[in-house]
Amino acid sequence: MSAPGQLRPVPRRSTAELIADQLRAAIMYGSLSPGDQLGEADLAGRLGVSRGPLREAMQRLVQEGLLRSERHRGLFVRELTPDDVRDVYVARLAVERTACELIMRGNRGEAVARLTPALDRLARAAAAADRHAMSEADQEFHETLVSCSGNSRLERMARTLLVETRMCLTVMQDVYPEPEELLEEHRRILDAIVEGEESRLLGLIETHMLDTVDRINGETTDEATSEDETSD
């Protein structure tokens, strides 16, 4: 392991990687919405790139499950079904539960020091009742939680799930918890770490994830039922 401050080679990133990052961000923040078709010529013009690296980037996103390919039609931003939402949060639960176990057996003090300002940012967003800022701060809290585990592979797994989580949260805006409720959920998670109560922490993480699934899928089911009734 290199010493802190030691110079080391800077990784070079390909054009396809940079394009893939932009497309992920566009999907994450809703500039490219679920169901949107990706036109190769249009995207190449907007990004100022040739079609070769653009095709490579789009194929990466197909492999990641963010885009779907339809024969003779092209590529589309994938739409999340209720099963997809559940899969995303069950996967997140596995990652974050393991991260919590590592935190409780490692440097809890460092975790508390890093999570406290993350919770403060969530508190400010909640006080302003700014739902966009709340979702950003919510996500930051959980990213920090996984980072505090000290396990780089868990961090990579969490980043892979980040875009799909953002897509879920976009769907969830109408059913997002009340500001104080969301803040209290995260405050209890931090309190469990402070107090060294591992079993309570793991239970809180599980409840937090599965309740989110129920909120999102409950809204999705209600909308589908409403559409069916309308069509009748």
Side-chain angles (χ1 to χ4, degrees):
M1 182 181 295
S2 59
Q6 182 177 338
L7 296 178
R8 53 188 181 275
V10 176
R12 297 181 63 183
R13 306 187 66 207
S14 69
T15 302
E17 286 181 293
L18 297 173
I19 295 170
D21 283 348
Q22 287 216 43
L23 293 177
R24 279 192 209 94
I27 294 169
M28 180 186 300
Y29 292 103
S31 298
L32 291 172
S33 302
D36 281 357
Q37 183 172 13
L38 274 63
E40 210 174 87
D42 175 59
L43 280 176
R46 289 166 63 187
L47 293 169
V49 298
S50 62
R51 294 195 184 190
L54 174 61
R55 287 192 193 108
E56 182 182 341
M58 291 195 294
Q59 284 307 312
R60 291 184 185 209
L61 299 194
V62 170
Q63 292 168 2
E64 292 173 14
L66 299 177
L67 300 178
R68 58 181 172 82
S69 177
E70 289 191 18
R71 189 174 177 83
H72 304 307
R73 292 196 64 205
L75 296 176
F76 297 80
V77 178
R78 190 161 62 82
E79 298 166 283
L80 296 178
T81 67
D83 285 343
D84 290 327
V85 171
R86 182 167 293 278
D87 285 350
V88 168
Y89 278 89
V90 167
R92 279 192 60 190
L93 173 58
V95 169
E96 295 195 25
R97 185 162 46 200
T98 302
C100 287
E101 290 172 347
L102 291 172
I103 288 170
M104 299 305 275
R105 296 162 197 177
N107 190 340
R108 283 195 297 119
E110 179 186 349
V112 171
R114 293 179 60 190
L115 285 167
T116 298
L119 184 66
D120 289 342
R121 282 187 283 277
L122 181 57
R124 289 194 295 273
D130 183 336
R131 290 187 178 274
H132 177 73
M134 283 167 57
S135 67
E136 292 284 325
D138 181 352
Q139 196 66 35
E140 181 186 353
F141 181 94
H142 287 277
E143 288 178 62
T144 303
L145 180 72
V146 176
S147 176
C148 288
S149 72
N151 187 304
S152 61
R153 287 172 176 78
L154 285 179
E155 287 190 73
R156 283 204 300 271
M157 293 165 72
R159 281 196 296 271
T160 299
L161 292 165
L162 173 61
V163 180
E164 289 182 297
T165 299
R166 294 278 190 181
M167 292 168 73
C168 292
L169 291 176
T170 299
V171 173
M172 187 183 168
Q173 288 305 304
D174 292 338
V175 291
Y176 214 66
E178 290 302 312
E180 276 305 316
E181 180 185 354
L182 182 71
L183 180 60
E184 185 57 29
E185 286 180 15
H186 290 78
R187 184 177 286 126
R188 286 196 294 265
I189 289 170
L190 180 55
D191 286 346
I193 295 173
V194 170
E195 294 161 14
E197 297 186 7
E198 181 173 335
S199 60
R200 181 160 71 96
L201 174 62
L202 298 181
L204 288 169
I205 287 291
E206 180 169 356
T207 299
H208 182 64
M209 293 296 174
L210 298 184
D211 280 357
T212 301
V213 172
D214 289 341
R215 285 187 187 114
I216 297 173
N217 282 348
E219 177 70 7
T220 303
T221 302
D222 290 346
E223 288 175 355
T225 301
S226 177
E227 289 173 4
D228 288 344
E229 289 173 351
T230 302
S231 64
D232 289 343

